[in-house]
Amino acid sequence: MAQSAFRIGIVGIGRMGANMARRLHDLHYAIVAVYDTDTERAKALAKELACTAVTTPARVAELADTVLTVVSDDAAMRHIYSPAGADSLLRHAAHRLFINCATLSPELQQEVHALVEQQGGRSLEACMASSITQARQGTLYLMCGGRPEAFERAKPLLQDLSAHLRYIGPAGEAAKVKALVNMVMNANTAALAEGLGLGAALGLDLTMLREVFSQTGANSRVLETDGEDMQQRAHDCYFSAAHAAKDSGIACALAKQAGLDLPLANATYKQYRRLIDIGKGELDKSAVAELTFKDRSNH
């Protein structure tokens, strides 16, 4: 399928959604409508992309045949897919393809999948293990769940958004994998913050310590992405502490359902909840270091 085979609408144009839209616009896909609860944000992006800023999710689905949703959490997702809502995407679900990119609970992905199919549409989860830069460059890591035919229909578009594209299985399966990815990432981030915090308390040179970490078994992807930011207290947001808490919470809930005790995951979740409680939830996840350095006043 060529770009011309898609008429795309996007619901949720925060940092990730807006940059995915820009990427698709660069590749000459037809972006026909955008919606966001922040109406001024939607108007600004619509002007940039020469499309329509609409006032309801339902209008997005009315104008588009393919709808990408990039919303913040389960509550936001339930709202835009409300069976009873006059503004719901479900009002115009027939013959549409919905690609849901947010990190949500597997149960909700399955629920949305069923609701859309009841209305004659198709639903695919496309969970993103990447950040803002990758969204803009079209190098996302995408894990997909849903019916194989929905994946095949979406595949040309998703290939243009991603460097790595995987079909995981039925609805909800990709959401499980994404929850585990972020659970491990968040635990690594919290552990790195403790290592650097202790290093600082011991009077060690943190630049030297990060270099040693990178050359030994302490190396990790988050050392590369977050280590210098933790040292410099540079917490501009690429992936927020609030999102880290949400995603670790999803994983902890899955563990509870499976009858497993995951003390590291639970401790990590509590650290990110602490950041939210002290008003730092919108900082980057690297801000967990603010809880581990002795000379930082957030205890």
Side-chain angles (χ1 to χ4, degrees):
M1 295 174 69
Q3 287 92 333
S4 59
F6 296 92
R7 288 174 54 81
I8 298 170
I10 302 178
V11 174
I13 51 168
R15 288 180 287 261
M16 294 297 288
N19 280 307
M20 293 165 72
R22 293 183 179 108
R23 165 68 177 175
L24 293 172
H25 181 261
D26 288 348
L27 295 177
H28 306 293
Y29 281 87
I31 311 291
V32 297
V34 295
Y35 168 81
D36 197 273
T37 54
D38 185 331
T39 56
E40 293 306 311
R41 176 192 292 165
K43 289 177 183 178
L45 186 65
K47 182 177 180 180
E48 178 184 341
L49 303 184
C51 69
T52 302
V54 299
T55 57
T56 67
R59 181 63 173 158
V60 175
E62 184 178 4
L63 295 174
D65 59 32
T66 304
V67 178
L68 278 68
T69 67
V70 196
V71 298
S72 57
D73 53 28
D74 280 19
M77 192 71 163
R78 284 196 173 91
H79 178 73
I80 64 173
Y81 281 103
S82 170
D87 296 339
S88 169
L89 289 170
L90 297 176
R91 299 284 75 76
H92 301 282
H95 311 299
R96 269 60 169 185
L97 171 63
F98 297 90
I99 304 173
N100 301 308
C101 300
T103 300
L104 306 168
S105 66
E107 294 84 359
L108 184 55
Q109 291 283 17
Q110 293 166 341
E111 181 182 328
V112 166
H113 178 87
L115 288 169
V116 168
E117 289 201 339
Q118 287 166 13
Q119 299 301 319
R122 294 287 191 186
S123 178
L124 184 76
E125 61 202 76
C127 303
M128 304 180 291
S130 310
S131 191
I132 301 165
T133 302
Q134 290 75 42
R136 186 66 183 88
Q137 295 173 345
T139 56
L140 295 167
Y141 194 115
L142 293 177
M143 298 165 285
C144 298
R147 294 192 186 276
E149 55 267 34
F151 176 69
E152 290 302 321
R153 179 175 164 185
K155 192 172 181 179
L157 185 155
L158 296 178
Q159 285 176 325
D160 282 337
L161 286 171
S162 65
H164 302 278
L165 179 64
R166 297 185 67 120
Y167 176 70
I168 303 297
E173 294 302 293
K176 293 175 185 176
V177 174
K178 175 61 190 299
L180 298 185
V181 167
N182 283 13
M183 179 190 82
V184 173
M185 176 184 72
N186 294 340
N188 284 341
T189 307
L192 176 62
E194 292 190 357
L196 293 177
L198 179 56
L202 296 174
L204 297 174
D205 180 283
L206 294 189
T207 301
M208 173 276 297
L209 185 60
R210 286 191 294 109
E211 183 176 351
V212 172
F213 282 175
S214 73
Q215 297 167 346
T216 62
N219 195 19
S220 68
R221 175 74 175 130
V222 295
L223 174 63
E224 178 184 340
T225 60
D226 293 0
E228 184 177 3
D229 291 344
M230 290 179 178
Q231 181 179 346
Q232 302 298 332
R233 303 186 78 175
H235 304 309
D236 293 343
C237 188
Y238 289 87
F239 181 76
S240 73
H243 280 114
K246 170 181 68 75
D247 296 352
S248 284
I250 291 171
C252 289
L254 289 172
K256 186 175 181 180
Q257 292 169 16
L260 289 179
D261 179 29
L262 301 182
L264 295 179
N266 286 321
T268 300
Y269 171 67
K270 290 176 182 178
Q271 283 291 80
Y272 281 107
R273 286 300 317 175
R274 284 179 64 197
L275 279 177
I276 294 171
D277 291 344
I278 61 173
K280 297 187 180 295
E282 294 310 308
L283 295 180
D284 192 78
K285 66 182 173 64
S286 62
V288 70
E290 299 300 299
L291 304 176
T292 63
F293 279 66
K294 285 182 69 175
D295 60 347
R296 302 181 186 180
S297 58
N298 293 307
H299 297 280

